[in-house]
Amino acid sequence: AQTVTQSQPEMSVQEAETVTLSCTYDTSESDYYLFWYKQPPSRQMILVIRQEAYKQQNATENRFSVNFQKAAKSFSLKISDSQLGDAAMYFCAYQSGGGADGLTFGKGTHLIIQP
Amino acid sequence: GAGVSQSPRYKVAKRGQDVALRCDPISGHVSLFWYQQALGQGPEFLTYFQNEAQLDKSGLPSDRFFAERPEGSVSTLKIQRTQQEDSAVYLCASSVDRGGVLMNQPQHFGDGTRLSIL
């Protein structure tokens, strides 16, 4: 079974600064997908960024980018120019390569943005 | 609608009662997933449908949990004889399924139903 570990229960960053959230995972599969989801107090899970394991290039979406280290099974999220609206719970998630499997989530990191 | 819709948003029930939670996925989405999110935790997979077929129910915690999607669109998660440990947020997600071919499509989540068992 796959596992996802987020070792930072809470992180704090000053507005406009950069913050990195950590995620490691364990799997014996070679084909899989990794995701970062944001969950504000409204509870809706919002997809932030995703990475296909077969792609060596790190995914980027505007201020959000990942550092994907396949050999180390590490998938960190970097948020640049942090904004107040970035405050939320962030979950790292894993999905097997079939594409129609349930996601395996980490326990989440609570991100606080200080004005 | 444009997104995944779940109802009710909040549900309070007494221990031992049966509850039913509804999920209306994005139109045209073939795959539908249910997750359970305990307080302070990440969501945990419960079950997966492709159209009306329940292809994976390995995450259902007990036989008190039952899910259906009879016409391949709206899904209902039913919990019988509720217990306090069933208190959680229940999230539904849907995705386009290209039959396992081509690129994976991400799951789109609803706002969830917060279930409280007294």
Side-chain angles (χ1 to χ4, degrees):
Chain A
Q2 296 81 25
T3 59
V4 176
T5 302
Q6 294 179 250
S7 59
Q8 306 155 316
E10 187 173 279
M11 291 284 285
S12 181
V13 63
Q14 291 287 131
E15 193 176 3
E17 296 295 308
T18 296
V19 64
T20 298
L21 308 184
S22 301
C23 173
T24 59
Y25 59 95
D26 189 24
T27 183
S28 59
E29 299 176 333
S30 59
D31 184 23
Y32 52 87
Y33 303 87
L34 297 165
F35 305 84
W36 279 98
Y37 278 89
K38 169 185 177 182
Q39 188 178 42
S42 66
R43 298 202 303 258
Q44 186 182 32
M45 286 288 212
I46 301 166
L47 178 64
V48 174
I49 199 166
R50 66 177 179 178
Q51 175 83 41
E52 294 87 349
Y54 63 85
K55 290 187 177 179
Q56 293 187 345
Q57 186 174 5
N58 289 325
T60 62
E61 286 288 341
N62 300 314
R63 298 182 295 107
F64 299 87
S65 61
V66 298
N67 183 4
F68 174 47
Q69 301 290 328
K70 191 172 184 178
K73 296 179 181 175
S74 171
F75 183 61
S76 61
L77 174 69
K78 185 172 79 172
I79 306 174
S80 304
D81 185 25
S82 297
Q83 300 176 0
L84 294 178
D86 295 334
M89 286 293 294
Y90 284 80
F91 292 94
C92 179
Y94 172 103
Q95 185 177 38
S96 294
D101 294 338
L103 296 166
T104 300
F105 286 88
K107 291 189 174 183
T109 297
H110 181 210
L111 179 63
I112 298 168
I113 310 295
Q114 296 182 347
Chain B
V4 177
S5 177
Q6 291 188 247
S7 61
R9 187 159 172 79
Y10 301 92
K11 176 69 177 177
V12 179
K14 292 183 179 179
R15 186 165 56 92
Q17 290 183 330
D18 298 348
V19 298
L21 312 180
R22 176 188 169 104
C23 173
D24 199 342
I26 294 173
S27 178
H29 277 198
V30 171
S31 296
L32 186 145
F33 304 81
W34 283 98
Y35 295 86
Q36 180 190 60
Q37 186 176 19
L39 186 64
Q41 302 294 315
E44 292 191 357
F45 169 77
L46 294 177
T47 187
Y48 159 61
F49 289 87
Q50 187 170 56
N51 294 309
E52 69 278 4
Q54 190 175 19
L55 299 186
D56 186 351
K57 54 182 181 179
S58 61
L60 295 177
S62 77
D63 58 7
R64 296 186 296 104
F65 286 71
F66 172 76
E68 61 182 5
R69 194 186 184 198
E71 297 179 356
S73 54
V74 172
S75 177
T76 303
L77 177 66
K78 298 179 179 178
I79 309 173
Q80 298 176 326
R81 304 181 303 282
T82 53
Q83 300 178 4
Q84 284 193 321
E85 59 262 31
D86 299 335
S87 296
V89 172
Y90 290 84
L91 295 168
C92 176
S94 69
S95 71
V96 170
D97 184 351
R98 295 185 179 179
V101 180
L102 303 179
M103 191 170 63
N104 172 57
Q105 291 296 306
Q107 296 180 21
H108 300 267
F109 284 80
D111 289 346
T113 294
R114 181 178 296 280
L115 176 64
S116 298
I117 305 301
L118 305 179

